Amino acid sequence: MKAPMEECYCRSLSSENIEKAYDFCSGDYKACAIFQNVFRAQDVVAAQVAKDSCPVIGLFTGSQRLLQMQARQELSLQVLELLESNPSARNMFRDFIYMLRNFCSVNDITLYILDGDNHLHQEIVGCQGDEVTELMVPKKLDCICGQILEGDVPDQTLSRNDSGVYWTNDRTSLSQEAAQGLNACINTCCPEQKEGSLALLPVHYQGRTVGVVRINDPKADLFTRDDIRFLDGVCSALSVIVGRARAERNREYAEMIVDTLTSPIAVVDRDYVFRKINGEYLRWLGRTDADVHGRKMVEIVGETVFLQAYAPLLDRAFGGEQVKEKITMDFPDHPAVSCSVRCLPHFDAEGSVDAVVIAFHSLE
């Protein structure tokens, strides 16, 4: 219920879906076919443990080094699969941190990520063992992670590479300022360690630092420079997830606005499937939400109307153009209505159009 995907029943509480939402969204979600299609990091970790492979970080030699390289390759492939197959960006943060913590075999990992472009909130995803904790913090972080998010340079007793990764293999050797800065982190998700190794990996998006991955372990001398380079490369995938999360959130806002408008509005995806329809457009169509949601537009309006009236405008909008045309439309209760139709493209994180908002305005 906290992070529903677009297809989830609780996102569209029609008479057809409300029983399923009760049974699955707020009940036995593991039995839900939609949930079963989600990338599940727990399965990946279980398979990795079954192979008895080495952690992806730490100094290993000989046959163990070969196992470590295989584990790194496996983690990289799983991150790519995560980016390809998980339909919910918010779930991807959780799965990414869970996978990374277990492949690294460290004590705990926390992700601090700025929420949206206004940067007023931080989303925190922390992982200890098999438990992932997620929360929102409506204030700036008063710690070294907060300094990195603000673009400041933390205490120089921390090692730093060219891409802005900070780490230490011995926390007892840090200055008092650095030690206090590390201990000031919000430890709802991760307990503090006063000794051992720690790495802080920045997450970049559109030229800005929008997050920090904090890897914390009581073991001293954990990281090699090769480990830091590898972790930095793997965590670069988070910038892709950030982009998708923000596009996902913007699309949610667009869909929320659709419900509040009195003019007929609909959202259609690239397969010309209705993803959101407001009450006024349903009234014009003479249909219910259960009749229309998730069905192809051609099935609802008819092939002739779709090809002659809708398809030319939608194709231009899916090409990135904001379209505005005056056309005459036939509806069950509104024959030959003269309308102004606007088709507004919605862009995803990669800059491609993944949906079009169609807005009608009667000229009569």
Side-chain angles (χ1 to χ4, degrees):
M1 293 291 285
K2 291 181 180 178
M5 294 171 287
E6 186 175 321
E7 300 85 357
C8 286
Y9 302 116
C10 58
R11 287 286 296 274
S12 179
L13 290 176
S14 63
S15 57
E16 180 183 1
N17 289 342
I18 194 164
E19 184 175 352
K20 295 177 181 177
Y22 178 80
D23 291 340
F24 297 128
C25 303
S26 61
D28 186 12
Y29 63 90
K30 292 184 179 179
C32 178
I34 298 174
F35 171 80
Q36 291 170 5
N37 288 329
V38 177
F39 182 95
R40 286 180 286 180
Q42 290 89 341
D43 296 338
V44 173
V45 169
Q48 187 248 354
V49 171
K51 294 178 182 177
D52 194 29
S53 61
C54 282
V56 298
I57 59 173
L59 182 60
F60 295 95
T61 58
S63 60
Q64 283 192 313
R65 176 61 174 172
L66 178 60
L67 289 174
Q68 184 186 54
M69 298 306 293
Q70 291 172 346
R72 289 187 178 189
Q73 183 179 22
E74 180 68 19
L75 174 58
S76 300
L77 291 173
Q78 295 306 331
V79 169
L80 290 175
E81 183 179 346
L82 173 65
L83 296 178
E84 289 295 326
S85 62
N86 197 323
S88 171
R90 288 170 297 183
N91 291 341
M92 291 168 75
F93 286 127
R94 176 203 63 203
D95 287 345
F96 181 92
I97 294 302
Y98 183 81
M99 279 197 308
L100 187 59
R101 177 249 177 266
N102 284 278
F103 271 86
C104 290
S105 297
V106 297
N107 189 52
D108 53 67
I109 293 182
T110 308
L111 167 66
Y112 300 95
I113 201 83
L114 293 173
D115 177 49
D117 295 327
N118 55 16
H119 299 168
L120 296 179
H121 297 78
Q122 284 78 38
E123 182 173 354
I124 302 177
V125 183
C127 186
Q128 299 169 256
D130 292 334
E131 183 179 353
V132 179
T133 307
E134 301 175 71
L135 72 155
M136 297 291 292
V137 180
K139 60 180 181 180
K140 294 182 178 180
L141 299 175
D142 187 22
C143 59
I144 282 184
C145 292
Q147 290 179 352
I148 294 174
L149 290 172
E150 290 292 315
D152 296 335
V153 178
D155 188 281
Q156 294 302 310
T157 56
L158 284 163
S159 300
R160 183 182 186 276
N161 69 5
D162 293 338
S163 60
V165 178
Y166 294 88
W167 78 95
T168 178
N169 277 322
D170 181 10
R171 291 184 59 165
T172 61
S173 66
L174 299 179
S175 69
Q176 183 178 2
E177 180 185 357
Q180 289 176 345
L182 292 172
N183 290 331
C185 280
I186 298 170
N187 36 351
T188 305
C189 299
C190 290
E192 287 300 328
Q193 302 289 341
K194 295 184 179 180
E195 57 186 21
S197 305
L198 180 136
L200 305 170
L201 299 102
V203 179
H204 303 293
Y205 177 68
Q206 294 185 341
R208 297 193 61 179
T209 301
V210 296
V212 179
V213 177
R214 189 171 187 270
I215 301 176
N216 191 44
D217 196 85
K219 180 182 177 181
D221 298 322
L222 178 63
F223 301 110
T224 66
R225 288 188 176 273
D226 179 58
D227 293 335
I228 294 298
R229 282 194 297 270
F230 172 74
L231 292 171
D232 192 20
V234 170
C235 288
S236 64
L238 286 169
S239 63
V240 178
I241 301 176
V242 169
R244 292 187 183 181
R246 294 188 177 182
E248 188 176 274
R249 188 171 288 114
N250 288 340
R251 180 162 173 175
E252 286 180 4
Y253 291 158
E255 292 178 355
M256 289 167 60
I257 292 171
V258 166
D259 285 330
T260 66
L261 298 178
T262 56
S263 298
I265 304 282
V267 180
V268 180
D269 67 17
R270 291 200 70 91
D271 294 321
Y272 306 107
V273 171
F274 282 112
R275 292 303 179 191
K276 191 73 177 179
I277 317 97
N278 75 346
E280 186 64 10
Y281 188 47
L282 289 171
R283 191 173 69 82
W284 278 32
L285 291 173
R287 300 272 195 154
T288 66
D289 185 75
D291 292 335
V292 178
H293 187 271
R295 294 181 61 184
K296 286 185 175 292
M297 179 177 277
V298 66
E299 299 174 7
I300 303 301
V301 303
E303 185 174 5
T304 300
V305 173
F306 174 74
L307 293 176
Q308 293 181 357
Y310 286 102
L313 306 182
L314 288 171
D315 289 344
R316 288 166 59 189
F318 279 117
E321 179 184 353
Q322 292 193 16
V323 181
K324 184 176 181 180
E325 295 286 351
K326 293 180 181 179
I327 59 176
T328 300
M329 302 283 291
D330 284 320
F331 296 97
D333 295 334
H334 301 74
V337 176
S338 179
C339 299
S340 171
V341 180
R342 297 184 67 187
C343 294
L344 306 174
H346 178 275
F347 295 89
D348 63 18
E350 284 75 38
S352 300
V353 180
D354 65 350
V356 169
V357 180
I358 310 171
F360 299 86
H361 178 67
S362 175
L363 300 177
E364 299 179 354

